[in-house]
Amino acid sequence: MNTKKSIILLFLLFSFFYISDAQKVDVYKRPLKYERSRDYDAKHYRITLTFDLDNKYFCGENRITLSPLKDDFKECVLDAEELITDTVIDSQNQPLRFKQKDKYLIVHFPKAYSYGETLTFTVKYHAKDPKYGLFFDDERLTNPKMVSTVSWPEYAHHWFPCYDFPHDKVTNELIVTVKNNYKVLSNGRLVNVKEDRKKGTKTYHWSQEQPHSTYLFMLAIGPFEIIQDSLGPLPVNYWVYKKDVEDAKWIFKKTPYMIEFFNKLFEYEYPWAKYDQVTSPRMGGGAENTSATVLGEQAIHDRRAEQDFSFERIIAHEIAHQWWGDLITLRTWAHTWLNESFGTYSDYLYTRYDKGEDEGSFALLGKKNQYLREAHTRYMRPIVFDRYDHAQDNFDSHTYPKGAAVLHMLRFIMGDKPFFRTLKHFLHKHEFQAVDTHDFMIAIKDVTGQNLDWFFEQFIFKPGHPVFDISHAWDEESKILELRVVQTQDISRGIPIYKIPVIIGIVTPKENTSEKVWIKKKKEVFEFSVTEKPLMVRFDEGNYLLKEWTFDKSLEELLYQLKADDVIGRSWAASELAKFRNEPCAVNGLIDKAQNDKFWAVRRSAVETLGKTKQKELVDLFKEKCSDKNSKVRTAALRVLGDYKNSGLVSFFRERFEKDDSYLAQAEALRSLGKCRDRLQLSFLKNAAKMRSPRNVIKRAADWAIKEIQR
Ligand SMILES: [Zn+2]
């Protein structure tokens, strides 16, 4: 790639990158990991535990039922860490010999079992305040005294001895005794709750009756309030801290509607006994444990934070995992995309369904940007990738957003009906199983008869993405539009020259035409017979491809595109017009869009490009945009105004801080105040720093502004 030429990433809204030739992180040096071998199939775990939250202690047992996958099965190796084994007994209560290692527990049997037999034994154990897997939290301002688990990716064996790898699916029961002021949540159906008044305890018996992987096992103990909801006969409950009840009611309200959406979309009825969500201090986003998702406490916030810090997408994402990840599950961490790309694509599909096409397109663009950032600043790797130090390594921006963008391309190539038919078939064929990418490729062949291995080879098994350099020329005499497309990606590291279809849209004063063409070579020239000079030529109409591109366009065409294209095209045109920022007609076109475009991202893009002109005459426009109905536009306008570093705006910024109902816009007002470098504002900023806000955005902005003034 060319290090001198800056490539505009529209997607990055609209930062500039220089592409480095070297990858900053060499992921190919990571160790190769094969799927784990095992010599038994775990069938059922009956886990019985008693908790002492005051002493951060628990004890109990796991009664394990398993079936050997070989003959002469004399010993069983279980994963177990931070657990102290007290005894192991067989089904007749006879003690069994065992050896405890750092990471394993080896149980010896007095006789050899054969392939296909079933055996049951019980491990009795205790643990005190483990470092991983299960967490005791003291009471804080933000959370009550509680216990929560993070079994993902391989930490379940820090709270019960088991075979801890996702390709083994088991059913389980969890029977937990706690002081009777606590409630207990786990996977599956609540069989019963028994109270022992004398002891002052309650015992919750949960039963997960369809098999699932150990990383999806969960437990939460706390003085939760339970908000009850439902979708028809399906119980849908929200387990939250007492102080959060009122906000949780409106934040989780859409949960049944989301489940219903996915039921219809995937044509597979929600598979589990119920759906619960619980908040925990140990989680950033969410963990999609089977039928019981744990969400970060940040999910709960006041109403005015919703515009900037909504958890709606994450709530939808974790629900989608109940199919993609929980019902069918990655066989190994090399195939993480089968969980996360499908989950991420599903949250896009929900956004588009709930908020409309424009928000959907923009959400997908955001995902592409996220991947491209990682590709430019860290590394590029194939999506299916069996080199990692830890399972967590593959949970990156190749897995979540890139895989989602690749699924969108796949849907474009397959067509809507065959694509969704395949998803349905894949779910039904492999329900309650562990799968890998080849199972998905076969599902496509089962349903459509089409072999799309070439697509997987390019986008799933190889690194990178296409980078297009596009230009067009119109010949008045022959009435031919010539479109040149050059693939300029660096192909030295296994990145291919892509074979991919793309839609070319041509708009003339009389008609709009769309034509699908196939790009197969590094350089392609396409000719289109067009009766009049085009007003606008679109490459990848519909924005189906994951790509970077440069497309040199005239001022005239950009101005037309700014008015007439879809939201992605209009935003792109607004950003491209930075090249013409000294032209009055460009400035006027952008002013019109900043004020009148119906979609916020186009208004924001226009404001940002206008900001680059630094024209004093635009100050009033930017002030007006600080009252835009969308907080992201207001935030951009405040940033642009701050860059004038004009002390005459001090009182304006103070007023915006006091009046704006968006935490992010308020934070930007403080930063802009800092940029004015007026020492008299220090006490105002110190006061502002005391204000509570989500993720401390206000305090962090105030601190930054104070430093800016004092430097
Ligand atoms: Zn996820």
Side-chain angles (χ1 to χ4, degrees):
M1 280 176 211
N2 191 334
T3 49
K4 285 182 191 119
K5 182 172 144 200
S6 68
I7 293 187
I8 296 172
L9 303 175
L10 150 67
F11 353 103
L12 291 169
L13 298 177
F14 290 95
S15 1
F16 287 75
F17 269 92
Y18 290 89
I19 301 201
S20 71
D21 289 319
Q23 301 208 66
K24 295 215 168 66
V25 180
D26 189 352
V27 289
Y28 290 90
K29 282 190 178 148
R30 290 176 178 167
L32 187 62
K33 295 278 167 76
Y34 294 108
E35 182 172 345
R36 190 173 173 183
S37 287
R38 58 187 170 129
D39 51 15
Y40 61 89
D41 178 21
K43 300 285 190 194
H44 189 74
Y45 298 135
R46 188 176 200 270
I47 306 161
T48 308
L49 299 173
T50 300
F51 275 82
D52 176 352
L53 271 69
D54 296 331
N55 293 304
K56 300 188 176 178
Y57 172 89
F58 64 98
C59 62
E61 61 178 48
N62 185 8
R63 193 168 87 198
I64 297 164
T65 303
L66 58 81
S67 191
L69 293 173
K70 63 169 194 180
D71 295 322
D72 203 26
F73 184 76
K74 282 190 211 151
E75 61 174 38
C76 174
V77 181
L78 292 163
D79 298 307
E81 263 185 271
E82 300 191 81
L83 307 174
I84 297 153
T85 306
D86 302 313
T87 54
V88 183
I89 52 171
D90 68 11
S91 54
Q92 311 300 317
N93 289 330
Q94 296 305 304
L96 293 171
R97 249 178 353 106
F98 68 90
K99 233 181 259 146
Q100 176 126 36
K101 306 270 186 185
D102 274 359
K103 299 188 172 185
Y104 304 103
L105 172 69
I106 305 164
V107 178
H108 300 274
F109 305 111
K111 67 163 220 179
Y113 291 87
S114 301
Y115 175 85
E117 278 188 84
T118 301
L119 64 143
T120 298
F121 60 95
T122 302
V123 179
K124 300 196 177 202
Y125 66 99
H126 67 271
K128 194 166 162 57
D129 199 14
K131 281 197 197 70
Y132 298 98
L134 183 146
F135 303 100
F136 289 90
D137 276 296
D138 294 321
E139 184 174 354
R140 267 175 268 162
L141 212 59
T142 44
N143 65 270
K145 180 182 284 194
M146 62 184 285
V147 168
S148 60
T149 56
V150 183
S151 302
W152 173 91
E154 289 170 15
Y155 292 116
H157 68 281
H158 290 251
W159 62 283
F160 59 96
C162 61
Y163 177 84
D164 201 3
F165 197 77
H167 63 194
D168 190 12
K169 293 203 175 192
V170 290
T171 53
N172 80 285
E173 288 157 89
L174 195 62
I175 301 152
V176 174
T177 301
V178 291
K179 269 195 190 160
N180 59 13
N181 53 328
Y182 293 112
K183 295 191 177 92
V184 179
L185 173 64
S186 189
N187 314 95
R189 179 173 68 86
L190 182 60
V191 179
N192 57 44
V193 183
K194 287 183 180 156
E195 185 163 10
D196 185 330
R197 294 227 166 139
K198 264 193 211 144
K199 286 190 188 154
T201 60
K202 273 186 182 164
T203 300
Y204 284 72
H205 184 164
W206 288 94
S207 179
Q208 170 60 42
E209 284 149 9
Q210 306 106 320
H212 65 151
S213 301
T214 46
Y215 80 89
L216 298 168
F217 279 48
M218 74 79 71
L219 168 66
I221 303 170
F224 302 113
E225 290 286 314
I226 303 170
I227 304 166
Q228 296 196 319
D229 203 345
S230 63
L231 174 63
L234 180 77
V236 177
N237 297 333
Y238 320 126
W239 299 54
V240 298
Y241 314 154
K242 260 191 190 80
K243 68 176 179 62
D244 292 337
V245 169
E246 286 314 309
D247 283 324
K249 277 184 191 160
W250 63 265
I251 285 168
F252 290 128
K253 205 174 92 183
K254 281 181 161 173
T255 304
Y257 159 80
M258 290 173 179
I259 298 173
E260 197 176 19
F261 167 67
F262 290 128
N263 271 342
K264 286 191 184 137
L265 186 69
F266 305 143
E267 292 189 71
Y268 190 112
E269 204 65 13
Y270 178 83
W272 315 109
K274 53 101 168 97
Y275 188 63
D276 285 315
Q277 291 168 104
V278 61
T279 54
S280 149
R282 296 290 177 157
M283 192 59 60
E288 68 275 21
N289 311 292
T290 312
S291 82
T293 287
V294 179
L295 290 167
E297 293 170 341
Q298 303 92 307
I300 312 291
H301 48 65
D302 59 25
R303 276 184 191 269
R304 77 185 183 97
E306 182 64 10
Q307 58 196 321
D308 303 315
F309 299 98
S310 173
F311 241 62
E312 187 171 344
R313 186 193 64 74
I314 296 175
I315 291 171
H317 178 101
E318 305 308 335
I319 293 173
H321 272 313
Q322 299 298 319
W323 290 262
W324 306 108
D326 297 4
L327 178 63
I328 56 162
T329 308
L330 46 77
R331 279 195 83 80
T332 80
W333 305 112
H335 299 271
T336 300
W337 84 293
L338 292 177
N339 286 22
E340 294 305 343
S341 306
F342 282 67
T344 305
Y345 192 54
S346 300
D347 75 54
Y348 150 74
L349 291 169
Y350 168 75
T351 302
R352 192 180 180 286
Y353 169 75
D354 184 61
K355 312 221 178 311
E357 170 119 31
D358 288 355
E359 286 289 352
S361 305
F362 225 75
L364 193 62
L365 184 67
K367 295 183 195 306
K368 292 177 185 174
N369 296 344
Q370 216 186 321
Y371 154 68
L372 288 167
R373 251 187 306 266
E374 184 166 271
H376 286 294
T377 59
R378 299 194 67 218
Y379 54 77
M380 287 189 236
R381 64 165 179 86
I383 286 180
V384 171
F385 196 53
D386 51 10
R387 289 182 178 277
Y388 48 90
D389 290 300
H390 311 284
Q392 291 92 321
D393 292 344
N394 276 355
F395 287 77
D396 58 3
S397 293
H398 280 66
T399 290
Y400 293 78
K402 184 184 182 187
V406 168
L407 282 172
H408 194 65
M409 284 195 286
L410 182 64
R411 175 180 163 192
F412 163 61
I413 288 165
M414 291 176 72
D416 277 8
K417 279 188 178 164
F419 176 79
F420 285 105
R421 249 179 238 143
T422 298
L423 295 193
K424 174 186 173 183
H425 171 72
F426 188 43
L427 287 169
H428 285 272
K429 182 179 178 187
H430 295 287
E431 56 182 4
F432 309 113
Q433 292 174 10
V435 291
D436 69 18
T437 302
H438 290 95
D439 295 316
F440 182 54
M441 293 163 75
I442 290 167
I444 294 173
K445 290 172 189 165
D446 286 348
V447 171
T448 68
Q450 301 300 305
N451 184 340
L452 296 183
D453 293 0
W454 58 270
F455 177 86
F456 284 81
E457 185 59 24
Q458 298 183 100
F459 290 104
I460 301 292
F461 299 115
K462 286 196 164 109
H465 55 272
V467 182
F468 298 113
D469 193 359
I470 309 148
S471 57
H472 67 77
W474 156 255
D475 185 63
E476 180 69 54
E477 214 164 282
S478 62
K479 310 280 183 206
I480 294 284
L481 171 76
E482 192 182 86
L483 184 81
R484 291 176 166 272
V485 182
V486 183
Q487 296 191 44
T488 62
Q489 64 273 14
D490 177 359
I491 55 169
S492 67
R493 291 190 307 259
I495 299 168
I497 292 292
Y498 290 89
K499 170 192 160 189
I500 185 94
V502 60
I503 298 177
I504 308 301
I506 300 168
V507 178
T508 68
K510 288 209 193 83
E511 59 176 355
N512 290 3
T513 57
S514 300
E515 195 174 322
K516 189 190 269 188
V517 298
W518 279 83
I519 294 172
K520 292 177 179 162
K521 296 181 300 212
K522 184 173 167 59
K523 288 184 184 162
E524 299 268 10
V525 180
F526 301 102
E527 290 189 346
F528 303 90
S529 169
V530 187
T531 50
E532 282 177 278
K533 186 181 179 192
L535 295 166
M536 172 168 75
V537 177
R538 288 158 148 172
F539 177 81
D540 186 23
E541 186 173 75
N543 313 296
Y544 294 108
L545 305 189
L546 170 61
K547 64 186 185 299
E548 287 176 77
W549 81 99
T550 53
F551 196 164
D552 263 334
K553 292 194 170 191
S554 65
L555 171 60
E556 201 185 357
E557 185 176 347
L558 285 174
L559 285 172
Y560 183 84
Q561 187 170 5
L562 182 68
K563 285 207 180 101
D565 208 349
D566 60 24
V567 286
I568 306 291
R570 298 205 301 278
S571 303
W572 182 80
S575 133
E576 282 288 285
L577 280 166
K579 292 177 185 164
F580 298 98
R581 60 178 175 265
N582 297 323
E583 301 281 345
C585 59
V587 171
N588 288 337
L590 288 165
I591 291 174
D592 176 49
K593 283 282 124 179
Q595 288 174 318
N596 301 320
D597 198 280
K598 65 184 192 315
F599 194 66
W600 61 269
V602 181
R603 299 199 298 278
R604 180 176 70 178
S605 184
V607 165
E608 286 169 342
T609 305
L610 287 168
K612 291 180 184 147
T613 67
K614 293 277 185 298
Q615 285 182 16
K616 288 207 175 85
E617 299 75 35
L618 291 173
V619 165
D620 284 342
L621 169 80
F622 295 139
K623 280 177 146 180
E624 182 197 314
K625 292 321 291 172
C626 291
S627 299
D628 192 280
K629 60 180 183 284
N630 186 286
S631 64
K632 294 175 189 75
V633 180
R634 301 201 295 276
T635 304
L638 282 159
R639 188 179 312 124
V640 162
L641 270 182
D643 288 339
Y644 280 85
K645 300 182 179 172
N646 176 355
S647 56
L649 290 168
V650 160
S651 57
F652 177 78
F653 292 135
R654 284 179 61 147
E655 187 196 307
R656 289 323 308 159
F657 174 75
E658 257 138 33
K659 288 198 176 147
D660 206 300
D661 74 346
S662 148
Y663 290 108
L664 283 187
Q666 284 183 298
E668 203 57 54
L670 294 180
R671 272 191 288 271
S672 292
L673 189 58
K675 289 181 199 163
C676 298
R677 307 198 61 188
D678 173 356
R679 298 193 74 84
L680 294 174
Q681 305 309 316
L682 284 171
S683 67
F684 178 82
L685 286 164
K686 281 175 188 160
N687 243 337
K690 290 177 198 154
M691 189 175 136
R692 286 188 63 179
S693 59
R695 295 169 212 182
N696 263 331
V697 289
I698 301 281
K699 181 177 163 23
R700 285 193 281 130
D703 290 346
W704 183 90
I706 290 166
K707 265 200 191 141
E708 186 69 9
I709 292 172
Q710 288 173 335
R711 85 184 153 89

